[in-house]
Amino acid sequence: MKVVFTGWAQDCLGQPEFPELGLKGDLSNGQAVFPLGELEPGAYTFTCSMGVNEGVITAE
Ligand SMILES: [Cu+2]
């Protein structure tokens, strides 16, 4: 499984990460690919690099 963020964002928003999974991305090329492997079912938070803005994906 992978998650792909596309677009461009400034400053910390351009460096999304999944802190629980230890994964950091970079949108400077307009795309950040997160190879998530096989996740246990559950909710996983992603944040900006400052950990302020956040969202959640759910693995089922
Ligand atoms: Cu931020």
Side-chain angles (χ1 to χ4, degrees):
M1 173 199 252
K2 68 181 177 183
V3 168
V4 180
F5 291 0
T6 58
W8 183 86
Q10 204 167 5
D11 301 326
C12 62
L13 290 172
Q15 297 173 326
E17 54 187 67
F18 284 84
E20 297 151 321
L21 302 174
L23 298 173
K24 298 184 178 188
D26 187 341
L27 284 167
S28 60
N29 293 326
Q31 188 176 72
V33 180
F34 292 91
L36 302 181
E38 291 292 319
L39 291 178
E40 293 295 316
Y44 297 88
T45 301
F46 58 89
T47 70
C48 70
S49 63
M50 291 177 63
V52 176
N53 299 281
E54 62 179 46
V56 176
I57 63 166
T58 304
E60 298 179 331

